[in-house]
Amino acid sequence: MLKDFATSIVRTLRERGHKAYLVGGCVRDLLLDREPADYDVTTDAISEEVMRIFPDTYAVGAQFGVVLVPQPERDVACNAPETCREVTCYVSGRGSAVEVATFRSDIGYSDGRHPDQVRFSKDPREDVERRDFTINGLLLDPITNEILDYVGGRKDLDAGIIRTIGDPERRFAEDKLRMLRAVRFAARFDYVIEPETLRAIQELAAQIHQVSRERVRDELSKMLTEGHARQAFILLDRTGLLHEVLPEIEAMKGVAQPPQFHPEGDVFVHTLLLLEKLPHPCPVTLAWGALLHDVGKPATFRVAPDRIRFDGHVDVGVKIAEEICQRLRFSNDDTKQILALVDNHMRFGQVQQMNESTFKRFVRLPQFDQHLQLHRMDCLSSHGNLAAYDFTREKIASIPPAAIRPAPLITGEDLIAAGYVPGPKFKEILAAVEDGQLEGRLHNKDAAMAFVDSEYPLQMHQK
């Protein structure tokens, strides 16, 4: 329905005497028979005119001639909602919108991200020529299905090439984020980066730090979750961008591993193999947990008498991963889950020896399915032994959910009522009771209180 809504916007602008086209990624995706995530319209109408034509709009970048036109909900009085051409009659999920931008040329990019000044235009060619890559510079008349190609985008789409529009150094100087976008598009579509475009990225890679950390994080997250993460990180390394944005991952290159456990090669190769196995779509926390799970290995590498070892690499990895999450300004919730994935990824090695309480607490970790997925990919990217993975899944299936997360047999209030003084010892006592409950030794409150009386005599904890 969003395409129909965008088409209705184009039609309405045309009826008001304006030029208007679909532009950018939506045109590219339509030509590739992909479902666009969103739709953009470009027009010679300035933002004030767009807002007069579509009163229910949001001026998200009026100084750049950009407004959002949200999809209205279906008019219940409409008799033909599926074929109606009135822009006010289209169905919308709340939050869906089309970006409408005025033809423009950009003047100066002193911050390496945003134009210092824009000049509005009546010429669609001028608007296209200030955009990033040829495959994103195509215009589509959605009414006649005519393609306007001023920059050779169709040819590059057919050839599988990522090429800047015009001089690559100028395009990247205008917006440094475009260097990461070039890598992402090349990986996503399995295209090659045109030689001059690649050379410009390699020369300008160090300037990526002018881009906000949040935007860098978002581009990297898209690379990790769009289904071609391995290729994206190979390209990041080849362009020199990996050295700039994630030197901790670059440090994995050449770090050997014990061949009896990692016949695939060094830590970088192992990580790339694991990225190749990420599901699609993939939760962003799982993707980053996979990328960072062995980030502590380069700092802990040593050759012991028996084999290569990485003593303490999990603890070191958690600290490094935390620094990365802080640097890239992840949310607290995402950071917590990413660090948990790094912190617990080696625990599967002991899962078959865990007692009942330890196992149940382990599988109670938030979003445990991500831990299980990471372990499976980790194994398949190294020794291939899935015994611990299969054991964990089978044991979880054999335990009733209520036995994994049972209601507490006693609480702190019960201890106080029995005469115990509140304090740090309460946590230890309640944990010991829960251990007995999870292991099947304690089944009710009376048994739990009898256990407490036996193991933590009241005279030692009286008021």
Side-chain angles (χ1 to χ4, degrees):
M1 294 303 297
L2 192 58
K3 180 185 179 184
D4 293 338
F5 180 62
T7 300
S8 72
I9 291 174
V10 170
R11 181 180 290 106
T12 300
L13 287 166
R14 298 266 185 89
E15 290 171 353
R16 300 297 180 92
H18 296 290
K19 299 175 184 177
Y21 306 93
L22 299 183
V23 67
C26 65
V27 180
R28 175 202 67 219
D29 289 347
L30 288 170
L31 291 173
L32 293 174
D33 291 324
R34 293 170 174 253
E35 183 65 32
D38 47 42
Y39 285 82
D40 296 332
V41 170
T42 186
T43 178
D44 62 355
I46 61 175
S47 57
E48 292 80 2
E49 292 175 296
V50 174
M51 295 175 78
R52 279 196 296 270
I53 295 170
F54 309 104
D56 187 20
T57 57
Y58 302 95
V60 295
Q63 71 272 33
F64 303 123
V66 180
V67 298
L68 284 181
V69 181
Q71 276 186 306
E73 292 187 338
R74 177 179 292 165
D75 184 342
V76 295
C78 182
N79 293 320
E82 303 302 329
T83 58
C84 178
R85 294 187 176 185
E86 292 299 324
V87 71
T88 55
C89 275
Y90 269 79
V91 176
S92 167
R94 284 294 187 183
S96 297
V98 171
E99 184 176 286
V100 180
T102 307
F103 298 157
R104 73 175 202 244
S105 59
D106 298 334
I107 303 171
Y109 282 79
S110 58
D111 67 352
R113 177 68 183 127
H114 304 97
D116 299 325
Q117 182 182 350
V118 301
R119 182 178 63 214
F120 297 129
S121 171
K122 296 294 182 181
D123 184 358
R125 179 190 294 267
E126 192 171 7
D127 182 74
V128 165
E129 289 175 347
R130 55 100 186 169
R131 295 177 180 268
D132 54 5
F133 306 109
T134 59
I135 64 171
N136 296 334
L138 298 165
L139 299 171
L140 169 64
D141 181 337
I143 300 169
T144 66
N145 282 325
E146 178 188 2
I147 296 290
L148 279 70
D149 183 3
Y150 300 117
V151 294
R154 291 294 296 270
K155 181 179 179 181
D156 285 343
L157 267 183
D158 293 339
I161 292 173
I162 301 297
R163 184 197 314 269
T164 58
I165 295 173
D167 177 54
E169 289 193 13
R170 178 180 177 183
R171 289 286 85 84
F172 294 134
E174 291 169 345
D175 183 354
K176 306 303 189 304
L177 187 67
R178 288 172 173 168
M179 294 189 286
L180 287 174
R181 284 169 57 82
V183 169
R184 179 164 68 86
F185 288 137
R188 179 184 178 190
F189 299 120
D190 195 22
Y191 285 7
V192 298
I193 301 177
E194 178 268 333
E196 287 303 305
T197 301
L198 176 63
R199 180 192 57 78
I201 297 174
Q202 292 168 331
E203 291 184 1
L204 299 174
Q207 297 183 28
I208 194 64
H209 300 290
Q210 293 181 25
V211 179
S212 74
R213 295 173 182 182
E214 294 89 344
R215 289 186 175 274
V216 170
R217 176 202 66 214
D218 290 347
E219 270 315 298
L220 293 172
S221 294
K222 290 176 183 177
M223 292 181 201
L224 285 166
T225 58
E226 287 183 343
H228 302 275
R230 178 183 182 179
Q231 181 63 13
F233 274 76
I234 289 173
L235 286 172
L236 282 173
D237 183 45
R238 184 182 176 195
T239 57
L241 288 167
L242 186 64
H243 175 75
E244 302 297 333
V245 298
L246 284 173
E248 300 90 345
I249 304 302
E250 184 189 44
M252 296 176 178
K253 296 171 63 178
V255 178
Q257 300 187 98
Q260 59 268 49
F261 300 109
H262 288 277
E264 74 281 4
D266 67 28
V267 181
F268 187 67
V269 170
H270 168 68
T271 301
L272 290 178
L273 289 172
L274 201 152
L275 294 184
E276 189 175 44
K277 295 173 178 61
L278 287 171
H280 180 61
C282 179
V284 70
T285 49
L286 174 59
W288 279 93
L291 177 68
L292 302 177
H293 78 289
D294 277 345
V295 74
K297 281 190 171 180
T300 57
F301 171 86
R302 74 180 180 93
V303 180
D306 56 341
R307 65 177 178 86
I308 293 171
R309 292 191 175 275
F310 302 97
D311 299 329
H313 86 272
V314 170
D315 292 337
V316 173
V318 169
K319 292 178 182 178
I320 296 174
E322 185 174 19
E323 292 170 0
I324 292 171
C325 287
Q326 290 177 349
R327 183 173 78 225
L328 296 178
R329 297 175 182 170
F330 277 90
S331 69
N332 291 337
D333 287 344
D334 283 351
T335 297
K336 185 176 180 180
Q337 177 63 7
I338 293 167
L339 298 187
L341 288 165
V342 176
D343 194 24
N344 289 281
H345 80 276
M346 293 294 290
R347 293 185 66 190
F348 285 91
Q350 292 79 46
V351 73
Q352 291 167 294
Q353 289 77 46
M354 289 178 179
N355 60 35
E356 288 296 305
S357 60
T358 302
F359 178 85
K360 290 174 181 177
R361 282 200 173 95
F362 180 43
V363 302
R364 283 187 342 202
L365 286 170
Q367 303 180 77
F368 185 73
D369 61 309
Q370 292 189 17
H371 292 270
L372 202 54
Q373 282 183 291
L374 175 55
H375 173 66
R376 179 178 180 275
M377 295 184 294
D378 199 7
C379 293
L380 292 177
S381 302
S382 52
H383 50 71
N385 186 344
L386 293 176
Y389 171 79
D390 292 334
F391 173 86
T392 304
R393 290 189 65 203
E394 291 168 6
K395 187 163 183 176
I396 290 174
S398 71
I399 304 174
I404 294 177
R405 292 179 174 82
L409 295 177
I410 63 171
T411 66
E413 292 180 356
D414 295 316
L415 295 178
I416 293 171
Y420 290 82
V421 178
K425 200 72 173 178
F426 268 33
K427 183 177 181 181
E428 177 186 336
I429 295 172
L430 294 174
V433 170
E434 187 184 29
D435 281 345
Q437 182 183 16
L438 293 174
E439 291 168 9
R441 293 184 283 104
L442 302 176
H443 301 283
N444 53 51
K445 182 176 180 178
D446 289 342
M449 291 306 298
F451 168 80
V452 172
D453 185 54
S454 171
E455 298 297 320
Y456 302 91
L458 182 59
Q459 60 268 25
M460 298 178 60
H461 303 277
Q462 285 179 327
K463 298 180 180 180

